[in-house]
Amino acid sequence: MSTSSDVISNTTAASGTGKLGDKQNRFLYAGLIFIAISAGLLLLGSADDPTRPFIGWLIGISFWLSILIGMLFLLMIWWMFDAGWAVIVRRQLEHAVSAFPYLGLIFLPLVLMSLFTAGDGVPWIWMQGDSLVPAGHGTVAEDVLYVSKSGFLGQGFFVVRYVIYFAVWTGLALLFRKWSFDMDRTGDHANVHRSRKLAAVGLFLCAFATTFAAIDWFKSLNYHWFSTMYGVWFFAASMRAALSATVLALFYMATREDGLKGIIKPVHFYLIGCIMLAFTVFWAYISFSQYFLIYNANIPEETFWYNMREMNADGTKNSWWWVSMGLIFMHFFFPFLYLLWYKNKFSIRLRFIAIWILVFHLLDLYWNIVPQKLATDSHGGYTVRQFGFSWTDLTMFIGVGAVVIWAFLKSAAKERPIPIRDPRIEESINCHE
């Protein structure tokens, strides 16, 4: 039976590279092709709903970005709490967050086209002062609510904030990766202290960047709406997605000789499953609390956001009502009950619920992003965009996902699968319940 010393010795003897990188470029090429197709669809637009291709681009990148944001939070939380069991898992997240700068570049066309596209094709209606206000009178420039928020909702400031968000995420990821990989080479434990100090500051920086990014990119699609809990919802959703993606990455790496085969233990999956259960409850608490407070206050400037996700103008249930029911019962109740069982936190059972959560996380993003009021005339007439898929949704989901996988494999092929000189690596290897 191999000991932790044998595992570390074998990993040290390896160059840190392996067959993981053999097929990585295929993912890059596939990603670029699908993103190029998405760009073409964005330029062609849609006669029925000019904004929908932009929304598809936003959904595609937001799904994968939320996973990376959640992984970055996990990195910092584990550094802050000095979690010994998570050292092996942490290295896989360090590989994944290398994709941040690429996602920043993929997001850039959406920002630029929003600045220079005239008419109804821009998802953020407040960017076009002459756009009609749905369920209102006149244009955005004449809207009292826009005027009161115009100091924040400005195109120039929007671009500045976009740069700040990705600078925070990319900068934090770069430093954590640099110090962790440097410790493999030099054994300098000063990198541990640097990482802990950065995590203490980085948690606040990342919290602010994530909160305002959710407000900028999702919440401001309906800029009339008010909510003080929206950023926390996105944080909770991102953590659930990140934990689920981490489970899938660990299972893949556990099958590879140049990965974690013979290193990762069932207890690592069990502990991640416990955290998945905790954040399932937290996501439900935040989502319900936001709904409950708005329902109780019964203020029209807040309730409309939920009303258009429940009913048509004549009071009948619309397509979003069914999505709402799916999120309540399939994104909360089912994962909650499933993860209560001890045996469900291992093997293929945990993989199943990880995939399940990711599917409904995507549906959660649809529910928060896609429904919008679309003006039909200058007298306040409007329709609500109903649930549905577009080609841009699919091409962006595949394209961005392929780029993220490529970045993960590229990093994993260059660095060792575990941080061999971390002071708590043996504790992680020998972790037990």
Side-chain angles (χ1 to χ4, degrees), residues 324-338:
S324 303
M325 295 301 102
L327 292 176
I328 293 171
F329 291 100
M330 300 301 176
H331 199 34
F332 168 59
F333 277 114
F334 179 70
F336 170 70
L337 295 174
Y338 188 94

Side-chain angles (χ1 to χ4, degrees), residues 346-419:
F346 299 96
S347 189
I348 194 170
R349 296 185 180 186
L350 189 62
R351 274 181 287 180
F352 163 75
I353 200 63
I355 295 171
W356 181 279
I357 289 173
L358 286 172
V359 169
F360 280 93
H361 170 62
L362 180 60
L363 195 65
D364 191 22
L365 290 177
Y366 267 86
W367 191 82
N368 277 272
I369 295 174
V370 176
Q372 283 181 276
K373 289 182 177 180
L374 307 175
T376 56
D377 55 57
S378 59
H379 303 291
Y382 72 93
T383 60
V384 175
R385 183 187 294 114
Q386 295 300 306
F387 176 68
F389 299 97
S390 75
W391 283 109
T392 315
D393 302 351
L394 178 63
T395 55
M396 278 301 292
F397 178 84
I398 297 174
V400 180
V403 170
V404 171
I405 294 172
W406 164 75
F408 175 89
L409 294 177
K410 178 184 176 184
S411 177
K414 290 182 178 179
E415 304 295 340
R416 292 182 174 86
I418 61 173

Side-chain angles (χ1 to χ4, degrees), residues 131-145:
S131 296
L132 294 175
V133 178
H137 298 281
T139 62
V140 170
E142 302 166 337
D143 184 17
V144 174
L145 282 175

Side-chain angles (χ1 to χ4, degrees), residues 91 177-188 191 194 415 421:
R91 174 52 55 91
R177 282 168 48 81
K178 178 181 181 298
W179 292 334
S180 181
F181 299 153
D182 180 69
M183 189 158 48
D184 279 357
R185 302 181 182 93
T186 65
D188 185 3
N191 290 303
R194 294 190 189 103
E415 304 295 340
R421 292 182 175 176

Side-chain angles (χ1 to χ4, degrees), residues 66-76 93 96-97 238 242 245-246:
S66 64
I67 291 174
L68 296 185
I69 290 172
M71 287 181 170
L72 185 58
F73 271 113
L74 282 172
L75 276 175
M76 292 185 288
L93 306 190
V97 295
S238 297
T246 299

Side-chain angles (χ1 to χ4, degrees), residues 11-27:
T11 310
T12 305
S15 63
T17 62
K19 295 181 180 179
L20 279 166
D22 291 351
K23 298 180 180 180
Q24 61 177 315
N25 287 337
R26 296 182 185 180
F27 285 99

